[in-house]
C-alpha cells in the first residue's frame, strides 16, 4: 500500500494499548514505527498485531529506544508525521520510592516530546490517565470530573503511579507552552482499559478480570470507570488528526461498574466458562485484614466503597468519539483471557 497517510511512531508497542494503537494505524493505511527497549521483543510486537487481526507486513518497523536514554529517539521520530506516546511504567506493586516511577514517566515524556517537536512532527498524542484528573473535593453525578480538573502531583498521600501520571502530563504541557507549540500536543486520559488481550503481558485492568474468572471467594467493593482499548486507540488517532484535538486534554471513559457488576456480566455472558466467578461481595473489613499480610492488596484499601464520576462529553462533542457498550468489552476481554 502506498504511504498515503504518513508515518506514525507509537512508543510502547509491546503494551496492551500500544499494540492496539499500532494495529488500528496499520488498518487505516499508515506506515508505523514502534519502539521497544530490547529488539528481542520485535516478534512479540508482530504477534500482538496479528492477534488484533491485522497483518503487520512491511509497513511496521520495530526500533530500539529506552525512555531513560536519549539514544535512538532522533532516528525513531525522523520523517514521522505524528507520534503516539503510549509507553509509561505501571508496576504490579507500587515502589517504596515514588521517584522510581515519577522520574522515568516525566523524563521519558519530555524526551519523546522534545525529539518529536524538533523533528517537525505535526502533533504528539500522549497517554495520561484519569488518575491525573482529580481535585480536592469529590465528584458527583451532577458534577463529574472534567478536563479542567487536575490531581495535585506533589500530594505524597497519592500513590506513586497517580503522581507519576500527573507530573508527566504537567511537564509535557509546560514544555509545549514554553516553546509556543501547545497545539502540537494532545493528551488522552483513559479510565480502566479493558478489551481483547493481545498477549500474555496483562495490564492491571486485565488482571482484575482474570482474578474474577479464576475465582476469588468474594468480590471486593471496588469499582472502575471502564473503557474499551479499541475505543481508546481510536481517540488517540482522532486527537492526532482532527484540528480540534490540538492543545487539548480528552477524558476517555465509558461507564463505572463495581466488581460485583462485572462479575454479573461475566456470569450472564459466559455461562459455564464463568462458573468460578464470585457471587458474593467481600466485607471491607476482610480486605483490610488481608492487606496486613499481602502488599499487593494494600493500594486498593483506600478505594474500597469509593466511586468517582468522570465526563467524556468533550471527546464525544469535539472529536465525534463513540464507545462500544462496556458489557461487550468485558465479554471480549474475558474470552481473550480464557
Amino acid at each position: 500500500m502506498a504511504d498515503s497517510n504518513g508515518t506514525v511512531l507509537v512508543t510502547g508497542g509491546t503494551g496492551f494499548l500500544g499494540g492496539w494503537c499500532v494495529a488500528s494505524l496499520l488498518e487505516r493505511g499508515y506506515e508505523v514505527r514502534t519502539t521497544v527497549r530490547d529488539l528481542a521483543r520485535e516478534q512479540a510486537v508482530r504477534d500482538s498485531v496479528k492477534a488484533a487481526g491485522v497483518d503487520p507486513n512491511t509497513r511496521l518497523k520495530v526500533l530500539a529506544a529506552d525512555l531513560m536514554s536519549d539514544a535512538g529517539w532522533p532516528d525513531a521520530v525522523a520523517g514521522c508525521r505524528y507520534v503516539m506516546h503510549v509507553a509509561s511504567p505501571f508496576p504490579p506493586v507500587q515502589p517504596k520510592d515514588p521517584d522510581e516511577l515519577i522520574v522515568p514517566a516525566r523524563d521519558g515524556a519530555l524526551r519523546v516530546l522534545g525529539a518529536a517537536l524538533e523533528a517537525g512532527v505535526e502533533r504528539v498524542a500522549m497517554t495520561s490517565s484519569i488518575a491525573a484528573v482529580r481535585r480536592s473535593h469529590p465528584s458527583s453525578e451532577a458534577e463529574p470530573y472534567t478536563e479542567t480538573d487536575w490531581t495535585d502531583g506533589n500530594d505524597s498521600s497519592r500513590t506513586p503511579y497517580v503522581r507519576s501520571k500527573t507530573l508527566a502530563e504537567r511537564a509535557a504541557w509546560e514544555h509545549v507552552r514554553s516553546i509556543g507549540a501547545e497545539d502540537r500536543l494532545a493528551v488522552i486520559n483513559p479510565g480502566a482499559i479493558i478489551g481483547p488481550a493481545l498477549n500474555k503481558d496483562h495490564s492491571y485492568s486485565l488482571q482484575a478480570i482474570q482474578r474474577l474468572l479464576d475465582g476469588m471467594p468474594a468480590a471486593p467493593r471496588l469499582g472502575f470507570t471502564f473503557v474499551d482499548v479499541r475505543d481508546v486507540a481510536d481517540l488517540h488517532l482522532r486527537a492526532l488528526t482532527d484540528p480540534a484535538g490540538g492543545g487539548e486534554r480528552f477524558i476517555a471513559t465509558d461507564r463505572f461498574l463495581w466488581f460485583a457488576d462485572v462479575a454479573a456480566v461475566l456470569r450472564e455472558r459466559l455461562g459455564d466458562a464463568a462458573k468460578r466467578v464470585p457471587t458474593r461481595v467481600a466485607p471491607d473489613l476482610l480486605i483490610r485484614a488481608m492487606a496486613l499480610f499481602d502488599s499487593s492488596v494494600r493500594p486498593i484499601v483506600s478505594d474500597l466503597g469509593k466511586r468517582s464520576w468522570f465526563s467524556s462529553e468533550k471527546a464525544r462533542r469535539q472529536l465525534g468519539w463513540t464507545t462500544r457498550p462496556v458489557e461487550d468489552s468485558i465479554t471480549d476481554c474475558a474470552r481473550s483471557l480464557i
Side-chain angles (χ1 to χ4, degrees):
M1 190 183 288
D3 185 358
S4 54
N5 293 329
T7 302
V8 185
L9 171 71
V10 179
T11 68
T14 54
F16 178 42
L17 175 57
W20 276 106
C21 285
V22 169
S24 72
L25 286 162
L26 288 168
E27 196 172 33
R28 297 178 205 198
Y30 289 89
E31 302 278 322
V32 182
R33 293 178 198 164
T34 192
T35 52
V36 290
R37 283 196 299 269
D38 180 355
L39 279 178
R41 300 213 55 191
E42 174 168 358
Q43 195 52 48
V45 174
R46 292 184 178 277
D47 291 344
S48 291
V49 173
K50 279 189 191 129
V54 180
D55 178 8
N57 61 46
T58 57
R59 286 190 301 116
L60 173 63
K61 290 192 170 56
V62 181
L63 309 168
D66 188 319
L67 289 177
M68 293 303 284
S69 157
D70 290 335
W73 291 110
D75 288 344
V77 296
C80 285
R81 184 176 178 189
Y82 302 117
V83 170
M84 288 186 185
H85 176 46
V86 182
S88 187
F90 191 131
V93 177
Q94 296 286 328
K96 283 194 172 60
D97 178 4
D99 280 346
E100 274 181 47
L101 266 186
I102 292 169
V103 172
R106 183 187 59 215
D107 293 4
L110 291 175
R111 194 166 269 123
V112 173
L113 191 56
L117 297 178
E118 211 166 294
V121 164
E122 284 179 32
R123 191 175 292 162
V124 176
M126 173 174 156
T127 315
S128 182
S129 167
I130 55 169
V133 186
R134 299 285 169 102
R135 54 178 185 256
S136 51
H137 60 284
S139 59
S140 65
E141 198 164 3
E143 279 193 43
Y145 293 129
T146 70
E147 288 80 1
T148 59
D149 292 307
W150 277 92
T151 305
D152 178 0
N154 297 314
D155 177 356
S156 58
S157 71
R158 300 277 187 189
T159 65
Y161 172 74
V162 167
R163 293 179 62 199
S164 78
K165 291 310 270 188
T166 306
L167 293 168
E169 189 191 341
R170 279 272 194 214
W173 285 119
E174 281 162 15
H175 178 67
V176 291
R177 282 187 192 122
S178 73
I179 59 169
E182 202 171 343
D183 65 334
R184 291 170 69 193
L185 175 65
V187 173
I188 313 301
N189 301 77
I193 303 176
I194 55 167
L198 298 178
N199 53 40
K200 296 274 179 273
D201 193 5
H202 295 161
S203 67
Y204 181 77
S205 310
L206 294 187
Q207 287 170 23
I209 307 261
Q210 184 78 63
R211 284 197 177 127
L212 287 171
L213 289 168
D214 290 345
M216 41 172 77
R221 274 198 334 126
L222 275 182
F224 297 99
T225 305
F226 289 105
V227 64
D228 192 286
V229 66
R230 295 160 290 189
D231 298 331
V232 180
D234 173 63
L235 183 53
H236 277 71
L237 188 54
R238 286 170 187 264
L240 275 183
T241 56
D242 191 313
E248 302 287 349
R249 319 169 84 189
F250 295 99
I251 291 173
T253 53
D254 186 28
R255 269 175 53 216
F256 178 94
L257 291 178
W258 295 104
F259 253 37
D261 302 328
V262 177
V265 171
L266 292 171
R267 286 196 305 274
E268 182 193 325
R269 295 281 188 99
L270 297 176
D272 206 39
K275 61 178 183 286
R276 301 174 70 178
V277 171
T279 54
R280 289 178 303 173
V281 175
D284 292 354
L285 198 62
L286 175 68
I287 304 294
R288 288 180 203 284
M290 282 170 63
L292 297 174
F293 306 101
D294 184 346
S295 64
S296 70
V297 177
R298 256 167 242 154
I300 68 170
V301 167
S302 61
D303 291 329
L304 288 169
K306 284 194 186 153
R307 158 157 203 190
S308 295
W309 282 262
F310 296 89
S311 169
S312 57
E313 188 50 40
K314 179 177 168 182
R316 296 171 195 277
R317 189 183 65 247
Q318 276 184 222
L319 301 180
W321 185 57
T322 56
T323 50
R324 66 202 74 210
V326 71
E327 293 82 1
D328 292 353
S329 306
I330 292 167
T331 310
D332 291 348
C333 182
R335 289 208 169 108
S336 73
L337 295 171
I338 291 168

